[in-house]
Amino acid sequence: MNRITSCALIAILLGCSQVRQAPDESTKDSLAVAPIALVIHGGAGTIPRGSLSPEKEQAYHDMMKAALDSGYAKLETGKPAVEAVLAAIQVLENSPLFNAGKGAVFTSEGTNELDASIMEGRTLSAGAVAGVKTIRNPILAAHAVMTKSPHVMLAGEGAEHFAAEQGLEIVPNTYFFDSARYKQFRRSIQKEDVKDSKHGTVGCVALDKFGDIAAGTSTGGMTNKKFGRIGDAPIIGAGTYANNATCGISSTGWGEFFIRLAVAHDISALIEYQGLDLNTAAEKVVVDKLGAIGGTGGVIGLTRDGQVTMTFNTDGMYRGYKRHGEPAKTFIYKDE
Ligand code: ASP
């Protein structure tokens, strides 16, 4: 199969770890040539069917659609992919449904500490913040690090100081409090469990009309995390990666495993060095390699030629995408 045919074929296949999601027949032609696209996640984890009430399910779908629409509106009006990523992630950070910004999970001390990163595929510019407690939208701070500083990652109080200097909104740590998350935290303390059963990190990858890719990720980390623990989300190459020559990736899951495998960059490297298509590369890393060392989670990704992946090795991943000529599509469980 020549490269163009194989790209077109891949572009009409969307996949998760067990099931490839094939879009409607009627949309196949436009998918192969889609000029702009956006894919998001709202975390992967143990989300068995029946665990959410119909109202809660609807609330997740609605909020993911709102994020997709907000990011896609930027792309449609010719804005760069980075702006679409910022728009979509801010919607999810501002919603208490997800473990990012408001509604973030709690540390062992009952506080919220947030991580975020962003990367641009054309220039390989990147920015990140880690362990911040007072920045209302950490993704904006990551972007400011990328665009307004000579650094890639700022942590803790220094990052907060920088964000304030850049005019970003600073809030008391209590702003992030959400009672449902707090109950989850109390349960987690009782079980002495560092890993959350429903993760909820958020991420977005966008492809703009110029053919540029951007990716971003934002999280509160893992429930009951201790000692200033930082996960994969702010680590370029683990939680986020973007390279126009290969793909954009945002990860979610048990961060320690994603760091050890440099998951986001590994998928990019498989495309670059082995010529794999995006979905095959993502499955190799998330299902085979991550699974082999006991890691759980998933990734979303996009390539310049319109391939999309939503691959995970858990019961579910809040996820969705929107491409040229199609309505936004959102999913929660593994078999849909
Ligand atoms: N990857 C995040 C972390 O380990 C958590 C998640 O995605 O749910 O901090």
Side-chain angles (χ1 to χ4, degrees), residues 43-44 99 115 199-201 219-222 229 231-233 251-256:
N99 170 22
D115 304 329
H199 297 281
T201 290
T219 189
M222 296 182 88
R229 178 263 188 194
D232 59 317
S251 309
T252 176
W254 196 338
E256 279 70 8

Side-chain angles (χ1 to χ4, degrees), residues 36-42 60-76 83-85 87-92 98 203-206 300 302 308 310 318-323 326-331:
I36 55 176
L38 191 85
V39 57
I40 59 164
H41 71 74
Y60 277 108
H61 284 296
D62 290 348
M63 199 47 73
M64 289 193 284
K65 282 206 171 74
L68 285 167
D69 288 344
S70 155
Y72 200 80
K74 296 281 180 193
L75 298 175
E76 260 182 330
E83 281 195 38
V85 167
I89 290 186
Q90 277 182 89
V91 169
L92 300 170
F98 300 96
C204 176
V205 187
I300 52 165
L302 270 179
V308 175
M310 302 187 290
Y318 299 101
R319 63 200 187 279
Y321 69 94
K322 186 165 165 67
R323 291 193 281 197
E326 289 180 76
K329 292 188 179 148
T330 57
F331 311 89

